Amino acid sequence: MWERFIEKKVREIREIVGDGKAIIALSGGVDSSTAAILAHKAIGDKLHAVFVNTGFLRKGEPEFVIKTFRDEFGLNLTYVDAQSRFFEALKGVTDPEEKRKIIGKVFIDVFEEVAREIDAEFLIQGTIAPDWIESRGGIKSHHNVGGLPERLNLKLIEPLRDLYKDEVRELARELGLPEKIYNRMPFPGPGLAVRVLGEVTPERVAIVREANAIVEEEIEKAGLKPWQAFAVLLGVKTVGVQGDIRAYKETVVVRIVESLDGMTANAMNVPFEVLQRIAFRITSEIPEVGRVLLRYNEQTPRDDRI
């Protein structure tokens, strides 16, 4: 099945792009990674992958993406550090959907600047079925679905548009992507900005980045395979006692769910000792955090609807 799919998409991309250039926003997630490798297979260095550091990425993400795709896969990769632009744009913003829209707009502005320098004619995206289904249904907005301004003047290519997340993982494996890519947990486009309730600042993002890294590390150590496991900075301080000192610190919520296609999800039964280690490490290693809660009653998989 996937061999025929790959042959068809490679042929389509090659025919559409021809002697032109294509550009893709590469995040390191399974969708954009799969689309990038598929396109690279079709047109080689005529594909320009652009990795934008928004400031809302997971711990070690910039280094991971550059090493994996530029060094190991040989993609023509452009790295853009735009952290200050994103944080400036989000000053005073607290509504999750407004955050998404602002981040999408700034991302497109940055991406457009790079596209002009490259003088690309085509835009390749890792859009998958749940993206456009959610956008049409008004569940949430996706900056890669119907939100690209006409000023980009690029022809759109979406080779994964009809696939669901589990199918994209199978395709990624077939394309030779390593397990560290095709089995990565989903990560929202706006990144950690939607895992910070309230205003987004570098300090608050740093807290949730460390907490998120701890959750992922302990889940991996325990050999668990959830659909998604991460931390959210609740934006509420609570009173407690640490040692012999009264503490008034931040609260982190941990969420661990199972899913297949990314459209529905249920809370995962995680051994209590794993949850204990996560809570202990977060409160011990992150001075700003004094309490860790578990979000258990879960019916929907998207972490950015909070």
Side-chain angles (χ1 to χ4, degrees), residues 131-158:
D131 294 341
W132 57 264
I133 290 172
E134 288 181 338
S135 289
R136 287 182 181 178
I139 297 172
K140 69 175 181 178
S141 62
H142 287 262
H143 66 259
N144 64 339
V145 182
L148 291 169
E150 293 182 1
R151 70 176 187 266
L152 278 176
N153 197 29
L154 297 173
K155 298 174 184 176
L156 188 61
I157 302 174
E158 297 176 311

PDB file of all heavy atoms in Angstrom, residues 131-158:
ATOM      1  N   ASP A 131      -6.686  18.185  10.601  1.00  0.00           N
ATOM      2  CA  ASP A 131      -6.457  19.624  10.548  1.00  0.00           C
ATOM      3  C   ASP A 131      -7.610  20.340   9.861  1.00  0.00           C
ATOM      4  O   ASP A 131      -8.209  21.272  10.404  1.00  0.00           O
ATOM      5  CB  ASP A 131      -5.150  19.940   9.810  1.00  0.00           C
ATOM      6  CG  ASP A 131      -3.919  19.453  10.551  1.00  0.00           C
ATOM      7  OD1 ASP A 131      -4.024  19.208  11.765  1.00  0.00           O
ATOM      8  OD2 ASP A 131      -2.864  19.312   9.913  1.00  0.00           O
ATOM      9  N   TRP A 132      -7.928  19.903   8.631  1.00  0.00           N
ATOM     10  CA  TRP A 132      -8.983  20.616   7.908  1.00  0.00           C
ATOM     11  C   TRP A 132     -10.378  20.262   8.415  1.00  0.00           C
ATOM     12  O   TRP A 132     -11.303  21.074   8.332  1.00  0.00           O
ATOM     13  CB  TRP A 132      -8.860  20.418   6.396  1.00  0.00           C
ATOM     14  CG  TRP A 132      -8.868  19.015   5.873  1.00  0.00           C
ATOM     15  CD1 TRP A 132      -7.793  18.233   5.566  1.00  0.00           C
ATOM     16  CD2 TRP A 132     -10.029  18.230   5.552  1.00  0.00           C
ATOM     17  NE1 TRP A 132      -8.192  17.012   5.097  1.00  0.00           N
ATOM     18  CE2 TRP A 132      -9.561  16.985   5.060  1.00  0.00           C
ATOM     19  CE3 TRP A 132     -11.405  18.452   5.622  1.00  0.00           C
ATOM     20  CZ2 TRP A 132     -10.422  15.971   4.652  1.00  0.00           C
ATOM     21  CZ3 TRP A 132     -12.274  17.441   5.210  1.00  0.00           C
ATOM     22  CH2 TRP A 132     -11.768  16.218   4.743  1.00  0.00           C
ATOM     23  N   ILE A 133     -10.531  19.076   9.001  1.00  0.00           N
ATOM     24  CA  ILE A 133     -11.831  18.706   9.594  1.00  0.00           C
ATOM     25  C   ILE A 133     -12.137  19.625  10.774  1.00  0.00           C
ATOM     26  O   ILE A 133     -13.250  20.141  10.916  1.00  0.00           O
ATOM     27  CB  ILE A 133     -11.827  17.230  10.048  1.00  0.00           C
ATOM     28  CG1 ILE A 133     -11.816  16.305   8.828  1.00  0.00           C
ATOM     29  CG2 ILE A 133     -13.058  16.940  10.921  1.00  0.00           C
ATOM     30  CD1 ILE A 133     -11.610  14.841   9.176  1.00  0.00           C
ATOM     31  N   GLU A 134     -11.142  19.859  11.638  1.00  0.00           N
ATOM     32  CA  GLU A 134     -11.341  20.718  12.803  1.00  0.00           C
ATOM     33  C   GLU A 134     -11.545  22.171  12.400  1.00  0.00           C
ATOM     34  O   GLU A 134     -12.323  22.896  13.010  1.00  0.00           O
ATOM     35  CB  GLU A 134     -10.144  20.595  13.750  1.00  0.00           C
ATOM     36  CG  GLU A 134     -10.104  19.257  14.465  1.00  0.00           C
ATOM     37  CD  GLU A 134      -8.933  19.141  15.416  1.00  0.00           C
ATOM     38  OE1 GLU A 134      -7.954  19.893  15.218  1.00  0.00           O
ATOM     39  OE2 GLU A 134      -8.999  18.322  16.334  1.00  0.00           O
ATOM     40  N   SER A 135     -10.829  22.609  11.386  1.00  0.00           N
ATOM     41  CA  SER A 135     -10.971  23.991  10.945  1.00  0.00           C
ATOM     42  C   SER A 135     -12.365  24.237  10.369  1.00  0.00           C
ATOM     43  O   SER A 135     -13.017  25.226  10.673  1.00  0.00           O
ATOM     44  CB  SER A 135      -9.908  24.336   9.903  1.00  0.00           C
ATOM     45  OG  SER A 135      -8.636  24.420  10.502  1.00  0.00           O
ATOM     46  N   ARG A 136     -12.830  23.320   9.524  1.00  0.00           N
ATOM     47  CA  ARG A 136     -14.168  23.465   8.935  1.00  0.00           C
ATOM     48  C   ARG A 136     -15.254  23.385   9.993  1.00  0.00           C
ATOM     49  O   ARG A 136     -16.285  24.049   9.895  1.00  0.00           O
ATOM     50  CB  ARG A 136     -14.389  22.382   7.882  1.00  0.00           C
ATOM     51  CG  ARG A 136     -13.610  22.598   6.596  1.00  0.00           C
ATOM     52  CD  ARG A 136     -13.923  21.515   5.586  1.00  0.00           C
ATOM     53  NE  ARG A 136     -13.163  21.681   4.354  1.00  0.00           N
ATOM     54  CZ  ARG A 136     -13.231  20.836   3.329  1.00  0.00           C
ATOM     55  NH1 ARG A 136     -14.007  19.763   3.393  1.00  0.00           N
ATOM     56  NH2 ARG A 136     -12.504  21.048   2.248  1.00  0.00           N
ATOM     57  N   GLY A 137     -15.016  22.559  11.021  1.00  0.00           N
ATOM     58  CA  GLY A 137     -16.019  22.389  12.063  1.00  0.00           C
ATOM     59  C   GLY A 137     -15.994  23.473  13.116  1.00  0.00           C
ATOM     60  O   GLY A 137     -16.801  23.462  14.050  1.00  0.00           O
ATOM     61  N   GLY A 138     -15.061  24.403  13.005  1.00  0.00           N
ATOM     62  CA  GLY A 138     -14.969  25.497  13.969  1.00  0.00           C
ATOM     63  C   GLY A 138     -14.430  25.065  15.321  1.00  0.00           C
ATOM     64  O   GLY A 138     -14.572  25.778  16.317  1.00  0.00           O
ATOM     65  N   ILE A 139     -13.795  23.881  15.386  1.00  0.00           N
ATOM     66  CA  ILE A 139     -13.255  23.393  16.660  1.00  0.00           C
ATOM     67  C   ILE A 139     -12.068  24.247  17.089  1.00  0.00           C
ATOM     68  O   ILE A 139     -11.933  24.624  18.241  1.00  0.00           O
ATOM     69  CB  ILE A 139     -12.843  21.911  16.529  1.00  0.00           C
ATOM     70  CG1 ILE A 139     -14.086  21.063  16.223  1.00  0.00           C
ATOM     71  CG2 ILE A 139     -12.176  21.415  17.810  1.00  0.00           C
ATOM     72  CD1 ILE A 139     -13.778  19.618  15.883  1.00  0.00           C
ATOM     73  N   LYS A 140     -11.197  24.544  16.140  1.00  0.00           N
ATOM     74  CA  LYS A 140     -10.074  25.442  16.375  1.00  0.00           C
ATOM     75  C   LYS A 140      -9.490  25.841  15.037  1.00  0.00           C
ATOM     76  O   LYS A 140      -9.757  25.217  14.010  1.00  0.00           O
ATOM     77  CB  LYS A 140      -9.012  24.792  17.254  1.00  0.00           C
ATOM     78  CG  LYS A 140      -8.251  23.650  16.600  1.00  0.00           C
ATOM     79  CD  LYS A 140      -7.142  23.168  17.500  1.00  0.00           C
ATOM     80  CE  LYS A 140      -6.369  22.043  16.813  1.00  0.00           C
ATOM     81  NZ  LYS A 140      -5.261  21.562  17.625  1.00  0.00           N
ATOM     82  N   SER A 141      -8.708  26.882  15.040  1.00  0.00           N
ATOM     83  CA  SER A 141      -8.099  27.340  13.797  1.00  0.00           C
ATOM     84  C   SER A 141      -6.724  26.724  13.625  1.00  0.00           C
ATOM     85  O   SER A 141      -6.031  26.430  14.593  1.00  0.00           O
ATOM     86  CB  SER A 141      -7.969  28.870  13.787  1.00  0.00           C
ATOM     87  OG  SER A 141      -7.132  29.298  14.842  1.00  0.00           O
ATOM     88  N   HIS A 142      -6.359  26.491  12.382  1.00  0.00           N
ATOM     89  CA  HIS A 142      -5.030  25.996  12.033  1.00  0.00           C
ATOM     90  C   HIS A 142      -4.410  27.008  11.091  1.00  0.00           C
ATOM     91  O   HIS A 142      -4.980  27.340  10.060  1.00  0.00           O
ATOM     92  CB  HIS A 142      -5.122  24.638  11.312  1.00  0.00           C
ATOM     93  CG  HIS A 142      -5.493  23.508  12.208  1.00  0.00           C
ATOM     94  ND1 HIS A 142      -4.566  22.653  12.747  1.00  0.00           N
ATOM     95  CD2 HIS A 142      -6.701  23.100  12.668  1.00  0.00           C
ATOM     96  CE1 HIS A 142      -5.184  21.733  13.486  1.00  0.00           C
ATOM     97  NE2 HIS A 142      -6.471  21.989  13.450  1.00  0.00           N
ATOM     98  N   HIS A 143      -3.221  27.488  11.414  1.00  0.00           N
ATOM     99  CA  HIS A 143      -2.631  28.479  10.523  1.00  0.00           C
ATOM    100  C   HIS A 143      -2.184  27.867   9.206  1.00  0.00           C
ATOM    101  O   HIS A 143      -1.866  28.572   8.264  1.00  0.00           O
ATOM    102  CB  HIS A 143      -1.455  29.214  11.208  1.00  0.00           C
ATOM    103  CG  HIS A 143      -0.277  28.354  11.515  1.00  0.00           C
ATOM    104  ND1 HIS A 143      -0.028  27.868  12.776  1.00  0.00           N
ATOM    105  CD2 HIS A 143       0.728  27.908  10.735  1.00  0.00           C
ATOM    106  CE1 HIS A 143       1.088  27.159  12.772  1.00  0.00           C
ATOM    107  NE2 HIS A 143       1.563  27.167  11.543  1.00  0.00           N
ATOM    108  N   ASN A 144      -2.208  26.523   9.118  1.00  0.00           N
ATOM    109  CA  ASN A 144      -1.851  25.903   7.848  1.00  0.00           C
ATOM    110  C   ASN A 144      -3.079  25.430   7.076  1.00  0.00           C
ATOM    111  O   ASN A 144      -2.977  24.672   6.134  1.00  0.00           O
ATOM    112  CB  ASN A 144      -0.907  24.713   8.083  1.00  0.00           C
ATOM    113  CG  ASN A 144      -1.573  23.612   8.882  1.00  0.00           C
ATOM    114  OD1 ASN A 144      -2.539  23.838   9.579  1.00  0.00           O
ATOM    115  ND2 ASN A 144      -1.047  22.411   8.775  1.00  0.00           N
ATOM    116  N   VAL A 145      -4.280  25.872   7.469  1.00  0.00           N
ATOM    117  CA  VAL A 145      -5.489  25.499   6.760  1.00  0.00           C
ATOM    118  C   VAL A 145      -6.310  26.751   6.490  1.00  0.00           C
ATOM    119  O   VAL A 145      -6.911  27.316   7.386  1.00  0.00           O
ATOM    120  CB  VAL A 145      -6.356  24.501   7.564  1.00  0.00           C
ATOM    121  CG1 VAL A 145      -7.576  24.107   6.754  1.00  0.00           C
ATOM    122  CG2 VAL A 145      -5.546  23.263   7.921  1.00  0.00           C
ATOM    123  N   GLY A 146      -6.333  27.188   5.273  1.00  0.00           N
ATOM    124  CA  GLY A 146      -7.169  28.311   4.885  1.00  0.00           C
ATOM    125  C   GLY A 146      -6.736  29.651   5.435  1.00  0.00           C
ATOM    126  O   GLY A 146      -7.416  30.641   5.230  1.00  0.00           O
ATOM    127  N   GLY A 147      -5.613  29.730   6.113  1.00  0.00           N
ATOM    128  CA  GLY A 147      -5.207  30.985   6.711  1.00  0.00           C
ATOM    129  C   GLY A 147      -4.016  31.628   6.032  1.00  0.00           C
ATOM    130  O   GLY A 147      -3.554  32.686   6.435  1.00  0.00           O
ATOM    131  N   LEU A 148      -3.493  30.975   4.994  1.00  0.00           N
ATOM    132  CA  LEU A 148      -2.332  31.533   4.320  1.00  0.00           C
ATOM    133  C   LEU A 148      -2.752  32.709   3.445  1.00  0.00           C
ATOM    134  O   LEU A 148      -3.602  32.583   2.577  1.00  0.00           O
ATOM    135  CB  LEU A 148      -1.660  30.458   3.457  1.00  0.00           C
ATOM    136  CG  LEU A 148      -0.973  29.345   4.236  1.00  0.00           C
ATOM    137  CD1 LEU A 148      -0.589  28.212   3.317  1.00  0.00           C
ATOM    138  CD2 LEU A 148       0.240  29.867   4.959  1.00  0.00           C
ATOM    139  N   PRO A 149      -2.147  33.856   3.651  1.00  0.00           N
ATOM    140  CA  PRO A 149      -2.529  35.036   2.881  1.00  0.00           C
ATOM    141  C   PRO A 149      -2.135  34.905   1.419  1.00  0.00           C
ATOM    142  O   PRO A 149      -1.157  34.245   1.071  1.00  0.00           O
ATOM    143  CB  PRO A 149      -1.741  36.163   3.564  1.00  0.00           C
ATOM    144  CG  PRO A 149      -0.561  35.481   4.172  1.00  0.00           C
ATOM    145  CD  PRO A 149      -1.061  34.128   4.596  1.00  0.00           C
ATOM    146  N   GLU A 150      -2.909  35.545   0.568  1.00  0.00           N
ATOM    147  CA  GLU A 150      -2.641  35.475  -0.866  1.00  0.00           C
ATOM    148  C   GLU A 150      -1.293  36.084  -1.225  1.00  0.00           C
ATOM    149  O   GLU A 150      -0.705  35.753  -2.256  1.00  0.00           O
ATOM    150  CB  GLU A 150      -3.756  36.180  -1.634  1.00  0.00           C
ATOM    151  CG  GLU A 150      -5.098  35.471  -1.528  1.00  0.00           C
ATOM    152  CD  GLU A 150      -6.171  36.160  -2.336  1.00  0.00           C
ATOM    153  OE1 GLU A 150      -5.864  37.171  -2.995  1.00  0.00           O
ATOM    154  OE2 GLU A 150      -7.313  35.691  -2.315  1.00  0.00           O
ATOM    155  N   ARG A 151      -0.795  36.972  -0.354  1.00  0.00           N
ATOM    156  CA  ARG A 151       0.458  37.643  -0.685  1.00  0.00           C
ATOM    157  C   ARG A 151       1.640  36.684  -0.774  1.00  0.00           C
ATOM    158  O   ARG A 151       2.682  37.023  -1.325  1.00  0.00           O
ATOM    159  CB  ARG A 151       0.769  38.738   0.345  1.00  0.00           C
ATOM    160  CG  ARG A 151       1.146  38.245   1.735  1.00  0.00           C
ATOM    161  CD  ARG A 151       1.518  39.428   2.621  1.00  0.00           C
ATOM    162  NE  ARG A 151       2.036  39.017   3.908  1.00  0.00           N
ATOM    163  CZ  ARG A 151       1.310  38.883   5.008  1.00  0.00           C
ATOM    164  NH1 ARG A 151       0.003  39.116   4.963  1.00  0.00           N
ATOM    165  NH2 ARG A 151       1.865  38.527   6.155  1.00  0.00           N
ATOM    166  N   LEU A 152       1.490  35.451  -0.214  1.00  0.00           N
ATOM    167  CA  LEU A 152       2.568  34.479  -0.349  1.00  0.00           C
ATOM    168  C   LEU A 152       2.767  34.093  -1.810  1.00  0.00           C
ATOM    169  O   LEU A 152       3.867  33.763  -2.233  1.00  0.00           O
ATOM    170  CB  LEU A 152       2.262  33.224   0.479  1.00  0.00           C
ATOM    171  CG  LEU A 152       2.582  33.283   1.974  1.00  0.00           C
ATOM    172  CD1 LEU A 152       2.138  32.014   2.652  1.00  0.00           C
ATOM    173  CD2 LEU A 152       4.056  33.513   2.208  1.00  0.00           C
ATOM    174  N   ASN A 153       1.680  34.107  -2.561  1.00  0.00           N
ATOM    175  CA  ASN A 153       1.739  33.829  -4.007  1.00  0.00           C
ATOM    176  C   ASN A 153       2.457  32.509  -4.300  1.00  0.00           C
ATOM    177  O   ASN A 153       3.294  32.414  -5.209  1.00  0.00           O
ATOM    178  CB  ASN A 153       2.443  34.983  -4.738  1.00  0.00           C
ATOM    179  CG  ASN A 153       2.174  34.949  -6.240  1.00  0.00           C
ATOM    180  OD1 ASN A 153       1.131  34.467  -6.661  1.00  0.00           O
ATOM    181  ND2 ASN A 153       3.117  35.445  -7.025  1.00  0.00           N
ATOM    182  N   LEU A 154       2.141  31.501  -3.514  1.00  0.00           N
ATOM    183  CA  LEU A 154       2.731  30.182  -3.701  1.00  0.00           C
ATOM    184  C   LEU A 154       1.636  29.166  -3.982  1.00  0.00           C
ATOM    185  O   LEU A 154       0.540  29.239  -3.416  1.00  0.00           O
ATOM    186  CB  LEU A 154       3.499  29.749  -2.449  1.00  0.00           C
ATOM    187  CG  LEU A 154       4.708  30.592  -2.047  1.00  0.00           C
ATOM    188  CD1 LEU A 154       5.245  30.130  -0.702  1.00  0.00           C
ATOM    189  CD2 LEU A 154       5.803  30.512  -3.095  1.00  0.00           C
ATOM    190  N   LYS A 155       1.922  28.216  -4.845  1.00  0.00           N
ATOM    191  CA  LYS A 155       0.973  27.143  -5.140  1.00  0.00           C
ATOM    192  C   LYS A 155       1.114  26.058  -4.060  1.00  0.00           C
ATOM    193  O   LYS A 155       2.218  25.624  -3.751  1.00  0.00           O
ATOM    194  CB  LYS A 155       1.251  26.582  -6.526  1.00  0.00           C
ATOM    195  CG  LYS A 155       1.064  27.614  -7.625  1.00  0.00           C
ATOM    196  CD  LYS A 155       1.498  27.068  -8.979  1.00  0.00           C
ATOM    197  CE  LYS A 155       1.396  28.155 -10.048  1.00  0.00           C
ATOM    198  NZ  LYS A 155       1.900  27.675 -11.371  1.00  0.00           N
ATOM    199  N   LEU A 156      -0.014  25.635  -3.533  1.00  0.00           N
ATOM    200  CA  LEU A 156      -0.026  24.729  -2.384  1.00  0.00           C
ATOM    201  C   LEU A 156      -0.009  23.265  -2.795  1.00  0.00           C
ATOM    202  O   LEU A 156      -0.750  22.838  -3.682  1.00  0.00           O
ATOM    203  CB  LEU A 156      -1.268  25.014  -1.533  1.00  0.00           C
ATOM    204  CG  LEU A 156      -1.386  24.319  -0.181  1.00  0.00           C
ATOM    205  CD1 LEU A 156      -0.236  24.711   0.725  1.00  0.00           C
ATOM    206  CD2 LEU A 156      -2.721  24.673   0.464  1.00  0.00           C
ATOM    207  N   ILE A 157       0.860  22.487  -2.121  1.00  0.00           N
ATOM    208  CA  ILE A 157       0.924  21.035  -2.313  1.00  0.00           C
ATOM    209  C   ILE A 157       0.773  20.380  -0.943  1.00  0.00           C
ATOM    210  O   ILE A 157       1.549  20.653  -0.031  1.00  0.00           O
ATOM    211  CB  ILE A 157       2.265  20.612  -2.948  1.00  0.00           C
ATOM    212  CG1 ILE A 157       2.476  21.307  -4.297  1.00  0.00           C
ATOM    213  CG2 ILE A 157       2.305  19.091  -3.125  1.00  0.00           C
ATOM    214  CD1 ILE A 157       3.848  21.051  -4.901  1.00  0.00           C
ATOM    215  N   GLU A 158      -0.234  19.512  -0.783  1.00  0.00           N
ATOM    216  CA  GLU A 158      -0.513  18.852   0.495  1.00  0.00           C
ATOM    217  C   GLU A 158      -0.569  17.339   0.294  1.00  0.00           C
ATOM    218  O   GLU A 158      -1.643  16.754   0.177  1.00  0.00           O
ATOM    219  CB  GLU A 158      -1.821  19.365   1.088  1.00  0.00           C
ATOM    220  CG  GLU A 158      -1.802  20.850   1.417  1.00  0.00           C
ATOM    221  CD  GLU A 158      -3.143  21.365   1.914  1.00  0.00           C
ATOM    222  OE1 GLU A 158      -4.171  21.072   1.258  1.00  0.00           O
ATOM    223  OE2 GLU A 158      -3.166  22.051   2.944  1.00  0.00           O
TER     224      GLU A 158
END
